[in-house]
Amino acid sequence: MLIGLTGTPGTGKTSVSKLLEKRRGWKVVYLNDLIKEERLYSEVDEERDAVVADMELVENRLNEIIDETEKESANKIVILESHLAHYITDIAIVLRAYPPELRKRLEKRGYYEEKINENAEAEAIDLILAEAFEWCKKVFEVNTTGRTAEETAEDVEKIIDHLLSGKEDELQEYSPGSLDWIDSVP
Ligand SMILES: Nc1ncnc2c1ncn2[C@@H]1O[C@H](COP(=O)(O)OP(=O)(O)O)[C@@H](O)[C@H]1O
């Protein structure tokens, strides 16, 4: 089962993924690393020091990884970690962080002011959540505000265990759309 772990930069996708790898042995694909390491891109944007992913190459490679994972172990979970993951997966877990808290995290990571504003504003207008609704069949939302990375990892683990159980009922505490941070944009 391929599950997208998405969210604005700084919401904790990488931290949570590393904890889940350790705790549950689930396979995590760090999409941005995969694209660069395996050259799954069609062109390089020198100006922005970025690459343009070739989505067909990416999807083919992901299918191979899923098959390999399912053959190698009893593990049935592949987590796709990236703020673009929801463009690829049918299931998305969207991490959220109250913009003022997100700012602090990004400042700690040494982001420059303009990039911090850009991400804080995107988070305030629910940009990634809206995209996930558009692209995914199933969307879960996890508010990481005021929680530790460990607690968020537990939230994500609970959602994935629910999916593994095959239960169709909604996980109320993670149903999307309950956060409204539009007023946090200065
Ligand atoms: N509840 C939380 N969940 C995840 N990360 C958190 C949380 N609270 C604080 N953090 C911190 O925020 C930062 C998130 O960075 P990172 O995991 O790289 O995010 P992303 O991969 O989404 O850009 C880390 O330094 C992490 O320790």
Side-chain angles (χ1 to χ4, degrees):
M1 185 189 296
L2 180 65
I3 298 172
L5 184 60
T6 187
T8 309
T11 48
K13 301 180 294 297
T14 307
S15 306
V16 166
S17 297
K18 294 216 176 301
L19 287 167
L20 291 177
E21 274 178 313
K22 251 188 264 153
R23 233 190 244 166
R24 297 294 294 266
W26 287 330
K27 170 78 180 170
V28 177
V29 175
Y30 297 89
L31 184 59
N32 302 344
D33 297 346
L34 181 79
I35 289 169
K36 288 201 177 129
E37 282 156 19
E38 301 197 13
R39 298 181 176 283
L40 305 177
Y41 49 84
S42 46
E43 55 185 274
V44 180
D45 178 343
E46 303 284 347
E47 221 172 84
R48 291 171 55 104
D49 183 26
V51 294
V52 181
D54 178 322
M55 292 319 274
E56 199 181 329
L57 285 178
V58 169
E59 300 208 3
N60 291 343
R61 184 66 186 107
L62 280 175
N63 287 329
E64 285 172 4
I65 292 171
I66 292 166
D67 292 347
E68 285 156 17
T69 305
E70 291 187 344
K71 273 197 208 102
E72 272 157 27
S73 69
N75 170 33
K76 292 280 166 270
I77 294 293
V78 176
I79 295 171
L80 183 62
E81 186 275 349
S82 166
H83 66 283
L84 303 172
H86 53 282
Y87 288 115
I88 296 174
T89 60
D90 289 340
I91 302 171
I93 299 173
V94 184
L95 297 186
R96 303 298 309 273
Y98 184 50
E101 178 167 326
L102 186 71
R103 276 181 177 283
K104 287 197 196 100
R105 295 183 194 175
L106 294 174
E107 275 157 14
K108 248 195 226 159
R109 244 165 57 171
Y111 272 40
Y112 50 85
E113 194 53 25
E114 191 197 337
K115 201 121 170 67
I116 292 174
N117 291 337
E118 194 183 291
N119 284 301
E121 277 152 32
E123 185 63 5
I125 60 168
D126 307 337
L127 183 68
I128 291 204
L129 182 72
E131 289 176 347
F133 272 129
E134 204 182 319
W135 286 81
C136 302
K137 292 195 182 88
K138 212 181 249 284
V139 179
F140 298 90
E141 186 176 42
V142 177
N143 187 2
T144 72
T145 310
R147 291 171 70 73
T148 63
E150 289 70 20
E151 287 166 333
T152 301
E154 278 162 26
D155 290 326
V156 174
E157 204 172 348
K158 225 157 118 186
I159 294 169
I160 296 178
D161 282 334
H162 178 77
L163 289 164
L164 282 171
S165 72
K167 287 195 204 106
E168 280 307 308
D169 56 318
E170 285 304 307
L171 266 182
Q172 282 312 319
E173 59 191 301
Y174 304 109
S175 55
S178 59
L179 302 169
D180 176 3
W181 291 331
I182 192 68
D183 296 338
S184 71
V185 184

